[in-house]
DNA sequence: AGGGAGATTCACAAATTTGTGAATCAGGCG
DNA sequence: CGCCTGATTCACAAATTTGTGAATCTCCCT
């Protein structure tokens, strides 16, 4: 079965839209998905621009954003001047771990509200305390979850996809 | 110890800022935090507006958004005309479960890209397949995690907060 | 019923975000 | 050594999002 560019483009756009709805910036989401489904060797900025129908400048901005998140990297160029961008294999893993720490900082910031409320018996303090505990719990569990994933992944190392 | 409104307001704003950075709309985030730390009985739209320094209209919009997410509800009014808004106790739990299903739909949308690529041996198909598997794994694990949290929560039912 | 407090909605204004074109920079190749 | 392809940055334009004021609606209370 050959590459169905039409259907692929649709899938890329739809996936990017889901990411966008989840709060991810639009152009980075599209670039990310394009790189995800790309063949070995990554894509150049020009290729990305053409495939997504946007200017080189937009690509550059999106690429900078994604690099700052540490989920893509520039390929050690084969020899030509063309810079190739490639997604890290563990990008999603990393992204989730990063989001996890966001949960953590959120919990710690909110914990300050408990002190400000003063009375630990009050509804607000109780409610806030529960939320803080919840996110601390989630944050604490996440490493475990990721370890489990790694184990699973290693187990089915060269097994077929999907 | 009495309520330190100054510090409380700061904590509310900072927590809201963290949520905003994570992709949550600004005003809903602020309203959510204000309701989180509120005393028993919730707050009226007017109280929210005053406490956050914004117009009643802005509150109304934020409240509609939060209600659509199912994380706040209008209190069965005591008798007065004033509508009181209150956060659900399991709001965060619910929110995470909801976000979880976002992961799921993302995975399923992206899975379509694999078919479009055709060759399952290609780098793109392998990479995408791995991502899909990862998010399916996370989605599958989440219920377990939440169950565990419920158990923990029930265990320390009337234990002190924080 | 009528008055009035409060919530909600609407059209518009402000502000932030997003994408573009033109200019600039970088470095491989003739 | 200088041209030429391609990446990057900048200032600005477009567009989407966000918040406001005024008008409208709701419904309790007399």
């Amino acid at each position: 079965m050959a590459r169905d560019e039409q259907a692929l483009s649709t899938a890329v756009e739809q996936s990017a839209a889901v990411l966008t709805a989840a709060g991810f910036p639009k152009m980075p989401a599209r670039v990310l998905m394009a790189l995800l489904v790309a063949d070995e060797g990554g894509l150049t900025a020009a290729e990305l621009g053409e495939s997504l129908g946007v200017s080189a400048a937009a690509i550059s901005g999106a690429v900078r954003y994604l690099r700052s998140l540490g989920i893509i990297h520039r390929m050690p160029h084969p020899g030509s001047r063309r810079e190739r961008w490639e997604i890290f294999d563990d990008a999603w893993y990393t992204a989730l771990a990063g989001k996890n720490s966001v949960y953590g900082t959120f919990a710690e910031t909110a914990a300050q509200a408990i002190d400000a409320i003063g009375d630990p018996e009050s509804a607000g303090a109780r409610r806030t305390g529960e939320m803080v505990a919840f996110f601390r719990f989630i944050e604490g569990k996440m490493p475990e979850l990721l370890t489990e994933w790694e184990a699973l992944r290693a187990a089915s190392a060269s097994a077929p996809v999907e």
Side-chain angles (χ1 to χ4, degrees), chain A:
Chain A
M1 183 155 83
R3 233 176 143 87
D4 181 348
E5 295 296 345
Q6 178 66 46
L8 186 54
S9 169
T10 302
V12 163
E13 291 301 340
Q14 286 186 349
S15 303
V18 174
L19 284 180
T20 300
F24 207 85
K26 188 174 165 186
M27 191 59 71
R30 298 178 69 203
V31 169
L32 188 57
M33 288 307 302
L35 287 175
L36 178 71
V37 303
D39 260 341
E40 194 73 52
L43 295 172
T44 67
E47 286 167 344
L48 281 168
E50 196 202 356
S51 135
L52 297 175
V54 295
S55 74
I59 297 296
S60 184
V63 152
R64 186 172 358 154
Y65 178 83
L66 291 172
R67 192 170 28 167
S68 79
L69 263 56
I71 61 189
I72 69 171
H73 66 116
R74 42 153 53 96
M75 280 263 287
H77 51 281
S80 127
R81 175 76 195 81
R82 302 187 143 188
E83 298 281 7
R84 300 196 151 266
W85 293 101
E86 202 171 40
I87 200 171
F88 276 114
D89 274 349
D90 59 357
W92 310 97
Y93 178 100
T94 304
L96 201 68
K99 175 173 278 180
N100 179 36
S101 81
V102 167
Y103 291 156
T105 57
F106 177 51
E108 298 319 316
T109 309
Q112 298 177 3
I114 301 176
D115 294 333
I117 293 175
D119 177 11
E121 301 286 311
S122 76
R126 181 191 52 69
R127 207 184 288 119
T128 306
E130 211 161 271
M131 184 212 74
V132 169
F134 176 65
F135 279 109
R136 282 179 177 159
F137 168 77
I138 294 293
E139 194 197 15
K141 276 295 176 190
M142 207 57 80
E144 209 172 285
L145 210 65
L146 296 182
T147 303
E148 195 177 338
W149 164 250
E150 283 195 329
L152 248 170
R153 183 159 132 54
S156 63
S158 54
V161 172
E162 245 269 57

